[in-house]
Amino acid sequence: AIIETNDDATISKLSCVRKKYYKDDYVKYFAKDNQTRPPLINRGYYSRVEAYRAIISLFLSREASCPKQIVNLGAGFDTTFFHLKAQGLVTRDLSMFEVDLPEVVIQKIGVIMKHGVLREAIFSSNDQDVKDMTAKKQLHAEQYHLTAADLCDLESVKEVLKQSGIDTSVPTLFLAECVFNYLKPEHSDALLQWISTAFTVSSIITYEQIEPNDAYGKMMIQNLENRGCPLLAIRTYPTIQSQKERYSTLKWERTEACTMFDVYHRHLKRADVQRVDRLELFDEFEEWELIQKHYCLVWAMQDRRQLDEHS
């Protein structure tokens, strides 16, 4: 059932793209349906995607002169690599790693190998042995690595990243989009603590549900449980403040967090938000605020370069 949330998200993102909320020429290859979502859903996914893109862009510009990595945990059918490639941002000093369950990885490899536009974005003339990737549950190219591991098994995650050539000494941005709430908190905490201590310079963006104790929060949890997708960590980290404290406890130096309502109304580019506001008739303002205040964006950072230089 958790895997089905990836399919739902991909369909919703395609709906956004078809309604011109943002540009993504690649999500159509991964979507299993082309349902049109209501404006409330489209606007929410726009906010989510644009927030991630803005932070990724900031990371790439800040680390422009050095090798760097992006690691997508629970990547699903995410198209970030293809988007960056199309924009000319996949330079020689950037490597991207994606980790998800074997069933998802097998499907994603199948889609990539089926469509020439996806294969060509990943493989260069220097890459060898690009056949029979699906059976191996992994795909490796010069700058893109797709591997299978259960995020509940930290040792497995470490091993597949090590085999893929991860470098813990270079700046690394981790992405986790609606992932950690589906893990037991002890598993996601172990993963977060490993990242904060094993990598010299790391940052992470997460997007999660919050506020489980009010009427809407209880309904949200019940709906997901009915689909077989219980939120295992939301009661441990139910608020913006508890999310901040989580990262501080797990050795992250700095954490920023806000609701997705604030992301849309305060942090995204005003001109683009105004453009989006005009795309579809929208009058669900109370419901919009209610829903968006039950999701948060967290951005945590740590940098041990100076500490390592002095030791």
Side-chain angles (χ1 to χ4, degrees), residues 152-197:
C152 296
D153 183 351
L154 178 57
E155 293 308 312
S156 174
V157 174
K158 289 181 186 178
E159 183 60 27
V160 297
L161 288 175
K162 180 180 178 182
Q163 290 176 358
S164 300
I166 199 83
D167 185 346
T168 58
S169 70
V170 305
T172 305
L173 172 64
F174 286 81
L175 314 176
E177 185 181 344
C178 224
V179 172
F180 289 158
N181 260 344
Y182 293 108
L183 308 179
K184 291 181 178 179
E186 58 265 32
H187 293 146
S188 51
D189 283 353
L191 185 55
L192 285 167
Q193 186 157 28
W194 170 68
I195 294 169
S196 70
T197 55

mmCIF file of all heavy atoms in Angstrom, residues 152-197:
data_model
loop_
_atom_site.group_PDB
_atom_site.id
_atom_site.type_symbol
_atom_site.label_atom_id
_atom_site.label_comp_id
_atom_site.label_asym_id
_atom_site.label_seq_id
_atom_site.Cartn_x
_atom_site.Cartn_y
_atom_site.Cartn_z
ATOM 1 N N CYS A 152 14.311 1.133 6.484
ATOM 2 C CA CYS A 152 14.282 0.659 7.871
ATOM 3 C C CYS A 152 15.555 -0.093 8.235
ATOM 4 O O CYS A 152 15.826 -0.321 9.420
ATOM 5 C CB CYS A 152 13.079 -0.252 8.098
ATOM 6 S SG CYS A 152 11.491 0.573 7.898
ATOM 7 N N ASP A 153 16.310 -0.489 7.237
ATOM 8 C CA ASP A 153 17.541 -1.262 7.433
ATOM 9 C C ASP A 153 18.738 -0.361 7.127
ATOM 10 O O ASP A 153 19.185 -0.275 5.989
ATOM 11 C CB ASP A 153 17.529 -2.491 6.518
ATOM 12 C CG ASP A 153 18.738 -3.399 6.716
ATOM 13 O OD1 ASP A 153 19.685 -3.005 7.436
ATOM 14 O OD2 ASP A 153 18.741 -4.496 6.128
ATOM 15 N N LEU A 154 19.247 0.321 8.146
ATOM 16 C CA LEU A 154 20.306 1.303 7.945
ATOM 17 C C LEU A 154 21.550 0.690 7.323
ATOM 18 O O LEU A 154 22.173 1.298 6.444
ATOM 19 C CB LEU A 154 20.660 1.978 9.282
ATOM 20 C CG LEU A 154 21.786 3.009 9.238
ATOM 21 C CD1 LEU A 154 21.482 4.122 8.246
ATOM 22 C CD2 LEU A 154 22.022 3.593 10.637
ATOM 23 N N GLU A 155 21.915 -0.501 7.758
ATOM 24 C CA GLU A 155 23.123 -1.134 7.209
ATOM 25 C C GLU A 155 22.976 -1.403 5.715
ATOM 26 O O GLU A 155 23.938 -1.267 4.952
ATOM 27 C CB GLU A 155 23.431 -2.429 7.965
ATOM 28 C CG GLU A 155 23.851 -2.213 9.411
ATOM 29 C CD GLU A 155 24.995 -1.216 9.555
ATOM 30 O OE1 GLU A 155 25.997 -1.355 8.808
ATOM 31 O OE2 GLU A 155 24.898 -0.311 10.399
ATOM 32 N N SER A 156 21.777 -1.760 5.286
ATOM 33 C CA SER A 156 21.523 -1.986 3.866
ATOM 34 C C SER A 156 21.642 -0.682 3.086
ATOM 35 O O SER A 156 22.230 -0.643 1.998
ATOM 36 C CB SER A 156 20.130 -2.584 3.679
ATOM 37 O OG SER A 156 19.806 -2.683 2.305
ATOM 38 N N VAL A 157 21.117 0.405 3.645
ATOM 39 C CA VAL A 157 21.223 1.716 2.991
ATOM 40 C C VAL A 157 22.683 2.120 2.861
ATOM 41 O O VAL A 157 23.137 2.559 1.789
ATOM 42 C CB VAL A 157 20.438 2.786 3.779
ATOM 43 C CG1 VAL A 157 20.666 4.173 3.174
ATOM 44 C CG2 VAL A 157 18.948 2.457 3.799
ATOM 45 N N LYS A 158 23.430 1.967 3.938
ATOM 46 C CA LYS A 158 24.861 2.295 3.906
ATOM 47 C C LYS A 158 25.573 1.493 2.825
ATOM 48 O O LYS A 158 26.398 2.032 2.071
ATOM 49 C CB LYS A 158 25.510 1.982 5.259
ATOM 50 C CG LYS A 158 25.136 2.892 6.397
ATOM 51 C CD LYS A 158 25.913 2.431 7.635
ATOM 52 C CE LYS A 158 25.522 3.184 8.879
ATOM 53 N NZ LYS A 158 26.269 2.670 10.057
ATOM 54 N N GLU A 159 25.255 0.214 2.736
ATOM 55 C CA GLU A 159 25.962 -0.672 1.813
ATOM 56 C C GLU A 159 25.666 -0.313 0.361
ATOM 57 O O GLU A 159 26.593 -0.239 -0.462
ATOM 58 C CB GLU A 159 25.573 -2.123 2.092
ATOM 59 C CG GLU A 159 26.313 -3.149 1.240
ATOM 60 C CD GLU A 159 27.824 -3.120 1.427
ATOM 61 O OE1 GLU A 159 28.301 -2.715 2.511
ATOM 62 O OE2 GLU A 159 28.541 -3.498 0.458
ATOM 63 N N VAL A 160 24.384 -0.072 0.019
ATOM 64 C CA VAL A 160 24.082 0.224 -1.385
ATOM 65 C C VAL A 160 24.660 1.579 -1.793
ATOM 66 O O VAL A 160 25.105 1.751 -2.934
ATOM 67 C CB VAL A 160 22.570 0.165 -1.685
ATOM 68 C CG1 VAL A 160 22.032 -1.231 -1.453
ATOM 69 C CG2 VAL A 160 21.781 1.205 -0.911
ATOM 70 N N LEU A 161 24.696 2.525 -0.866
ATOM 71 C CA LEU A 161 25.289 3.820 -1.189
ATOM 72 C C LEU A 161 26.808 3.691 -1.348
ATOM 73 O O LEU A 161 27.407 4.295 -2.244
ATOM 74 C CB LEU A 161 24.943 4.859 -0.122
ATOM 75 C CG LEU A 161 23.484 5.338 -0.118
ATOM 76 C CD1 LEU A 161 23.229 6.278 1.059
ATOM 77 C CD2 LEU A 161 23.142 6.040 -1.436
ATOM 78 N N LYS A 162 27.411 2.886 -0.485
ATOM 79 C CA LYS A 162 28.857 2.657 -0.598
ATOM 80 C C LYS A 162 29.190 1.992 -1.928
ATOM 81 O O LYS A 162 30.127 2.396 -2.630
ATOM 82 C CB LYS A 162 29.336 1.785 0.564
ATOM 83 C CG LYS A 162 30.822 1.492 0.546
ATOM 84 C CD LYS A 162 31.217 0.612 1.726
ATOM 85 C CE LYS A 162 32.707 0.276 1.694
ATOM 86 N NZ LYS A 162 33.083 -0.622 2.828
ATOM 87 N N GLN A 163 28.426 0.983 -2.299
ATOM 88 C CA GLN A 163 28.658 0.287 -3.570
ATOM 89 C C GLN A 163 28.439 1.212 -4.768
ATOM 90 O O GLN A 163 29.046 1.025 -5.824
ATOM 91 C CB GLN A 163 27.731 -0.927 -3.672
ATOM 92 C CG GLN A 163 28.074 -2.054 -2.717
ATOM 93 C CD GLN A 163 27.064 -3.197 -2.796
ATOM 94 O OE1 GLN A 163 26.091 -3.141 -3.539
ATOM 95 N NE2 GLN A 163 27.312 -4.236 -2.016
ATOM 96 N N SER A 164 27.588 2.213 -4.583
ATOM 97 C CA SER A 164 27.303 3.160 -5.668
ATOM 98 C C SER A 164 28.345 4.266 -5.772
ATOM 99 O O SER A 164 28.302 5.076 -6.698
ATOM 100 C CB SER A 164 25.921 3.788 -5.460
ATOM 101 O OG SER A 164 24.925 2.798 -5.442
ATOM 102 N N GLY A 165 29.272 4.322 -4.807
ATOM 103 C CA GLY A 165 30.347 5.303 -4.868
ATOM 104 C C GLY A 165 30.094 6.578 -4.098
ATOM 105 O O GLY A 165 30.692 7.619 -4.386
ATOM 106 N N ILE A 166 29.233 6.532 -3.083
ATOM 107 C CA ILE A 166 28.972 7.728 -2.272
ATOM 108 C C ILE A 166 30.266 8.199 -1.613
ATOM 109 O O ILE A 166 31.108 7.398 -1.219
ATOM 110 C CB ILE A 166 27.888 7.429 -1.206
ATOM 111 C CG1 ILE A 166 27.271 8.717 -0.687
ATOM 112 C CG2 ILE A 166 28.441 6.607 -0.057
ATOM 113 C CD1 ILE A 166 26.201 9.276 -1.529
ATOM 114 N N ASP A 167 30.413 9.514 -1.506
ATOM 115 C CA ASP A 167 31.608 10.120 -0.901
ATOM 116 C C ASP A 167 31.155 10.961 0.285
ATOM 117 O O ASP A 167 30.534 12.008 0.112
ATOM 118 C CB ASP A 167 32.328 10.987 -1.938
ATOM 119 C CG ASP A 167 33.648 11.548 -1.424
ATOM 120 O OD1 ASP A 167 33.906 11.494 -0.200
ATOM 121 O OD2 ASP A 167 34.428 12.067 -2.260
ATOM 122 N N THR A 168 31.453 10.514 1.489
ATOM 123 C CA THR A 168 30.980 11.211 2.690
ATOM 124 C C THR A 168 31.747 12.499 2.975
ATOM 125 O O THR A 168 31.383 13.238 3.882
ATOM 126 C CB THR A 168 31.078 10.298 3.926
ATOM 127 O OG1 THR A 168 32.442 9.869 4.092
ATOM 128 C CG2 THR A 168 30.185 9.074 3.775
ATOM 129 N N SER A 169 32.771 12.790 2.181
ATOM 130 C CA SER A 169 33.595 13.981 2.437
ATOM 131 C C SER A 169 33.157 15.199 1.635
ATOM 132 O O SER A 169 33.671 16.295 1.866
ATOM 133 C CB SER A 169 35.069 13.682 2.129
ATOM 134 O OG SER A 169 35.282 13.530 0.735
ATOM 135 N N VAL A 170 32.204 15.040 0.703
ATOM 136 C CA VAL A 170 31.785 16.178 -0.123
ATOM 137 C C VAL A 170 30.373 16.609 0.276
ATOM 138 O O VAL A 170 29.589 15.810 0.808
ATOM 139 C CB VAL A 170 31.843 15.849 -1.631
ATOM 140 C CG1 VAL A 170 33.228 15.348 -2.013
ATOM 141 C CG2 VAL A 170 30.778 14.832 -2.026
ATOM 142 N N PRO A 171 30.007 17.878 0.045
ATOM 143 C CA PRO A 171 28.672 18.359 0.405
ATOM 144 C C PRO A 171 27.573 17.510 -0.233
ATOM 145 O O PRO A 171 27.603 17.244 -1.439
ATOM 146 C CB PRO A 171 28.659 19.789 -0.144
ATOM 147 C CG PRO A 171 30.095 20.209 -0.146
ATOM 148 C CD PRO A 171 30.863 18.970 -0.499
ATOM 149 N N THR A 172 26.621 17.104 0.597
ATOM 150 C CA THR A 172 25.581 16.190 0.138
ATOM 151 C C THR A 172 24.213 16.669 0.621
ATOM 152 O O THR A 172 24.023 16.926 1.809
ATOM 153 C CB THR A 172 25.840 14.760 0.667
ATOM 154 O OG1 THR A 172 27.158 14.339 0.279
ATOM 155 C CG2 THR A 172 24.818 13.785 0.102
ATOM 156 N N LEU A 173 23.281 16.781 -0.312
ATOM 157 C CA LEU A 173 21.903 17.153 -0.004
ATOM 158 C C LEU A 173 21.037 15.906 -0.068
ATOM 159 O O LEU A 173 21.006 15.220 -1.089
ATOM 160 C CB LEU A 173 21.397 18.197 -1.002
ATOM 161 C CG LEU A 173 19.908 18.551 -0.918
ATOM 162 C CD1 LEU A 173 19.568 19.196 0.414
ATOM 163 C CD2 LEU A 173 19.512 19.463 -2.081
ATOM 164 N N PHE A 174 20.325 15.621 1.011
ATOM 165 C CA PHE A 174 19.399 14.493 1.063
ATOM 166 C C PHE A 174 17.970 15.001 0.871
ATOM 167 O O PHE A 174 17.597 16.041 1.411
ATOM 168 C CB PHE A 174 19.513 13.763 2.402
ATOM 169 C CG PHE A 174 20.762 12.937 2.534
ATOM 170 C CD1 PHE A 174 21.968 13.532 2.879
ATOM 171 C CD2 PHE A 174 20.734 11.566 2.313
ATOM 172 C CE1 PHE A 174 23.125 12.782 2.993
ATOM 173 C CE2 PHE A 174 21.889 10.807 2.419
ATOM 174 C CZ PHE A 174 23.087 11.407 2.758
ATOM 175 N N LEU A 175 17.192 14.256 0.103
ATOM 176 C CA LEU A 175 15.787 14.560 -0.116
ATOM 177 C C LEU A 175 14.946 13.424 0.451
ATOM 178 O O LEU A 175 15.273 12.252 0.256
ATOM 179 C CB LEU A 175 15.482 14.698 -1.616
ATOM 180 C CG LEU A 175 16.428 15.532 -2.478
ATOM 181 C CD1 LEU A 175 15.997 15.465 -3.948
ATOM 182 C CD2 LEU A 175 16.468 16.975 -1.998
ATOM 183 N N ALA A 176 13.872 13.765 1.158
ATOM 184 C CA ALA A 176 12.932 12.749 1.649
ATOM 185 C C ALA A 176 11.540 13.368 1.582
ATOM 186 O O ALA A 176 11.174 14.161 2.442
ATOM 187 C CB ALA A 176 13.284 12.317 3.068
ATOM 188 N N GLU A 177 10.798 13.016 0.563
ATOM 189 C CA GLU A 177 9.500 13.651 0.298
ATOM 190 C C GLU A 177 8.374 12.728 0.734
ATOM 191 O O GLU A 177 8.093 11.723 0.089
ATOM 192 C CB GLU A 177 9.382 13.985 -1.195
ATOM 193 C CG GLU A 177 8.132 14.745 -1.556
ATOM 194 C CD GLU A 177 8.037 15.036 -3.052
ATOM 195 O OE1 GLU A 177 9.068 14.917 -3.766
ATOM 196 O OE2 GLU A 177 6.934 15.365 -3.510
ATOM 197 N N CYS A 178 7.765 13.048 1.872
ATOM 198 C CA CYS A 178 6.674 12.234 2.418
ATOM 199 C C CYS A 178 7.150 10.794 2.629
ATOM 200 O O CYS A 178 6.530 9.836 2.156
ATOM 201 C CB CYS A 178 5.469 12.276 1.483
ATOM 202 S SG CYS A 178 3.901 12.495 2.348
ATOM 203 N N VAL A 179 8.233 10.644 3.366
ATOM 204 C CA VAL A 179 8.858 9.334 3.569
ATOM 205 C C VAL A 179 8.933 8.957 5.049
ATOM 206 O O VAL A 179 8.490 7.877 5.459
ATOM 207 C CB VAL A 179 10.284 9.312 2.965
ATOM 208 C CG1 VAL A 179 11.030 8.039 3.342
ATOM 209 C CG2 VAL A 179 10.222 9.450 1.453
ATOM 210 N N PHE A 180 9.480 9.835 5.876
ATOM 211 C CA PHE A 180 9.823 9.450 7.247
ATOM 212 C C PHE A 180 8.621 9.142 8.122
ATOM 213 O O PHE A 180 8.721 8.354 9.057
ATOM 214 C CB PHE A 180 10.693 10.530 7.896
ATOM 215 C CG PHE A 180 12.084 10.599 7.338
ATOM 216 C CD1 PHE A 180 12.838 11.758 7.464
ATOM 217 C CD2 PHE A 180 12.649 9.522 6.688
ATOM 218 C CE1 PHE A 180 14.127 11.828 6.957
ATOM 219 C CE2 PHE A 180 13.925 9.576 6.164
ATOM 220 C CZ PHE A 180 14.671 10.732 6.304
ATOM 221 N N ASN A 181 7.473 9.741 7.855
ATOM 222 C CA ASN A 181 6.292 9.438 8.671
ATOM 223 C C ASN A 181 5.799 8.008 8.478
ATOM 224 O O ASN A 181 5.076 7.480 9.324
ATOM 225 C CB ASN A 181 5.158 10.420 8.366
ATOM 226 C CG ASN A 181 5.061 11.521 9.398
ATOM 227 O OD1 ASN A 181 5.614 11.428 10.487
ATOM 228 N ND2 ASN A 181 4.340 12.583 9.066
ATOM 229 N N TYR A 182 6.191 7.377 7.367
ATOM 230 C CA TYR A 182 5.777 6.001 7.118
ATOM 231 C C TYR A 182 6.747 4.989 7.736
ATOM 232 O O TYR A 182 6.519 3.779 7.645
ATOM 233 C CB TYR A 182 5.650 5.750 5.615
ATOM 234 C CG TYR A 182 4.525 6.535 4.980
ATOM 235 C CD1 TYR A 182 4.779 7.616 4.143
ATOM 236 C CD2 TYR A 182 3.198 6.208 5.225
ATOM 237 C CE1 TYR A 182 3.743 8.347 3.575
ATOM 238 C CE2 TYR A 182 2.154 6.933 4.651
ATOM 239 C CZ TYR A 182 2.440 8.004 3.834
ATOM 240 O OH TYR A 182 1.409 8.726 3.277
ATOM 241 N N LEU A 183 7.829 5.482 8.337
ATOM 242 C CA LEU A 183 8.799 4.624 9.024
ATOM 243 C C LEU A 183 8.603 4.746 10.526
ATOM 244 O O LEU A 183 8.172 5.779 11.028
ATOM 245 C CB LEU A 183 10.230 5.040 8.678
ATOM 246 C CG LEU A 183 10.625 5.169 7.203
ATOM 247 C CD1 LEU A 183 12.079 5.608 7.090
ATOM 248 C CD2 LEU A 183 10.393 3.869 6.457
ATOM 249 N N LYS A 184 8.948 3.697 11.255
ATOM 250 C CA LYS A 184 8.981 3.819 12.706
ATOM 251 C C LYS A 184 10.026 4.870 13.069
ATOM 252 O O LYS A 184 11.094 4.927 12.445
ATOM 253 C CB LYS A 184 9.331 2.482 13.353
ATOM 254 C CG LYS A 184 8.237 1.432 13.222
ATOM 255 C CD LYS A 184 8.630 0.136 13.902
ATOM 256 C CE LYS A 184 7.504 -0.889 13.791
ATOM 257 N NZ LYS A 184 7.873 -2.177 14.429
ATOM 258 N N PRO A 185 9.750 5.711 14.067
ATOM 259 C CA PRO A 185 10.682 6.805 14.370
ATOM 260 C C PRO A 185 12.089 6.340 14.702
ATOM 261 O O PRO A 185 13.064 7.032 14.381
ATOM 262 C CB PRO A 185 10.026 7.527 15.550
ATOM 263 C CG PRO A 185 8.931 6.645 16.031
ATOM 264 C CD PRO A 185 8.527 5.780 14.891
ATOM 265 N N GLU A 186 12.231 5.165 15.309
ATOM 266 C CA GLU A 186 13.584 4.694 15.624
ATOM 267 C C GLU A 186 14.391 4.400 14.362
ATOM 268 O O GLU A 186 15.618 4.563 14.339
ATOM 269 C CB GLU A 186 13.549 3.455 16.530
ATOM 270 C CG GLU A 186 12.793 2.267 15.977
ATOM 271 C CD GLU A 186 11.345 2.204 16.460
ATOM 272 O OE1 GLU A 186 10.747 3.278 16.689
ATOM 273 O OE2 GLU A 186 10.828 1.074 16.604
ATOM 274 N N HIS A 187 13.694 4.012 13.287
ATOM 275 C CA HIS A 187 14.395 3.739 12.028
ATOM 276 C C HIS A 187 14.799 5.029 11.318
ATOM 277 O O HIS A 187 15.936 5.165 10.858
ATOM 278 C CB HIS A 187 13.519 2.884 11.112
ATOM 279 C CG HIS A 187 13.291 1.496 11.620
ATOM 280 N ND1 HIS A 187 12.117 0.800 11.432
ATOM 281 C CD2 HIS A 187 14.095 0.674 12.344
ATOM 282 C CE1 HIS A 187 12.206 -0.387 11.994
ATOM 283 N NE2 HIS A 187 13.395 -0.489 12.561
ATOM 284 N N SER A 188 13.872 5.982 11.233
ATOM 285 C CA SER A 188 14.212 7.246 10.568
ATOM 286 C C SER A 188 15.206 8.051 11.401
ATOM 287 O O SER A 188 16.093 8.716 10.847
ATOM 288 C CB SER A 188 12.955 8.065 10.285
ATOM 289 O OG SER A 188 12.163 8.210 11.433
ATOM 290 N N ASP A 189 15.101 7.980 12.726
ATOM 291 C CA ASP A 189 16.064 8.677 13.585
ATOM 292 C C ASP A 189 17.471 8.130 13.389
ATOM 293 O O ASP A 189 18.449 8.891 13.333
ATOM 294 C CB ASP A 189 15.669 8.546 15.061
ATOM 295 C CG ASP A 189 14.521 9.471 15.444
ATOM 296 O OD1 ASP A 189 14.124 10.299 14.603
ATOM 297 O OD2 ASP A 189 14.025 9.351 16.582
ATOM 298 N N ALA A 190 17.592 6.821 13.293
ATOM 299 C CA ALA A 190 18.909 6.210 13.078
ATOM 300 C C ALA A 190 19.503 6.666 11.755
ATOM 301 O O ALA A 190 20.710 6.964 11.660
ATOM 302 C CB ALA A 190 18.785 4.687 13.107
ATOM 303 N N LEU A 191 18.669 6.743 10.732
ATOM 304 C CA LEU A 191 19.120 7.196 9.418
ATOM 305 C C LEU A 191 19.567 8.654 9.468
ATOM 306 O O LEU A 191 20.637 9.019 8.957
ATOM 307 C CB LEU A 191 17.979 7.015 8.417
ATOM 308 C CG LEU A 191 18.237 7.311 6.945
ATOM 309 C CD1 LEU A 191 19.423 6.515 6.418
ATOM 310 C CD2 LEU A 191 16.981 6.990 6.125
ATOM 311 N N LEU A 192 18.774 9.504 10.119
ATOM 312 C CA LEU A 192 19.109 10.928 10.223
ATOM 313 C C LEU A 192 20.382 11.149 11.032
ATOM 314 O O LEU A 192 21.204 12.007 10.689
ATOM 315 C CB LEU A 192 17.944 11.688 10.857
ATOM 316 C CG LEU A 192 16.737 11.923 9.953
ATOM 317 C CD1 LEU A 192 15.540 12.396 10.761
ATOM 318 C CD2 LEU A 192 17.072 12.927 8.865
ATOM 319 N N GLN A 193 20.558 10.390 12.092
ATOM 320 C CA GLN A 193 21.762 10.554 12.907
ATOM 321 C C GLN A 193 22.997 10.082 12.146
ATOM 322 O O GLN A 193 24.060 10.698 12.233
ATOM 323 C CB GLN A 193 21.627 9.809 14.223
ATOM 324 C CG GLN A 193 22.807 10.067 15.178
ATOM 325 C CD GLN A 193 22.446 9.807 16.621
ATOM 326 O OE1 GLN A 193 21.578 9.002 16.915
ATOM 327 N NE2 GLN A 193 23.102 10.498 17.532
ATOM 328 N N TRP A 194 22.861 9.007 11.384
ATOM 329 C CA TRP A 194 23.991 8.542 10.576
ATOM 330 C C TRP A 194 24.399 9.604 9.558
ATOM 331 O O TRP A 194 25.586 9.908 9.408
ATOM 332 C CB TRP A 194 23.623 7.249 9.841
ATOM 333 C CG TRP A 194 24.653 6.854 8.829
ATOM 334 C CD1 TRP A 194 25.933 6.430 9.066
ATOM 335 C CD2 TRP A 194 24.510 6.891 7.398
ATOM 336 N NE1 TRP A 194 26.594 6.198 7.874
ATOM 337 C CE2 TRP A 194 25.743 6.469 6.849
ATOM 338 C CE3 TRP A 194 23.465 7.231 6.547
ATOM 339 C CZ2 TRP A 194 25.947 6.383 5.470
ATOM 340 C CZ3 TRP A 194 23.660 7.149 5.179
ATOM 341 C CH2 TRP A 194 24.897 6.720 4.644
ATOM 342 N N ILE A 195 23.426 10.200 8.898
ATOM 343 C CA ILE A 195 23.739 11.238 7.908
ATOM 344 C C ILE A 195 24.466 12.403 8.572
ATOM 345 O O ILE A 195 25.481 12.894 8.060
ATOM 346 C CB ILE A 195 22.451 11.738 7.218
ATOM 347 C CG1 ILE A 195 21.818 10.625 6.385
ATOM 348 C CG2 ILE A 195 22.755 12.954 6.333
ATOM 349 C CD1 ILE A 195 20.415 10.951 5.883
ATOM 350 N N SER A 196 23.974 12.847 9.718
ATOM 351 C CA SER A 196 24.536 14.040 10.368
ATOM 352 C C SER A 196 25.941 13.811 10.889
ATOM 353 O O SER A 196 26.728 14.749 11.013
ATOM 354 C CB SER A 196 23.634 14.504 11.513
ATOM 355 O OG SER A 196 23.679 13.601 12.595
ATOM 356 N N THR A 197 26.277 12.563 11.183
ATOM 357 C CA THR A 197 27.611 12.281 11.742
ATOM 358 C C THR A 197 28.589 11.695 10.721
ATOM 359 O O THR A 197 29.797 11.877 10.852
ATOM 360 C CB THR A 197 27.492 11.306 12.932
ATOM 361 O OG1 THR A 197 26.781 10.123 12.519
ATOM 362 C CG2 THR A 197 26.755 11.954 14.088
#
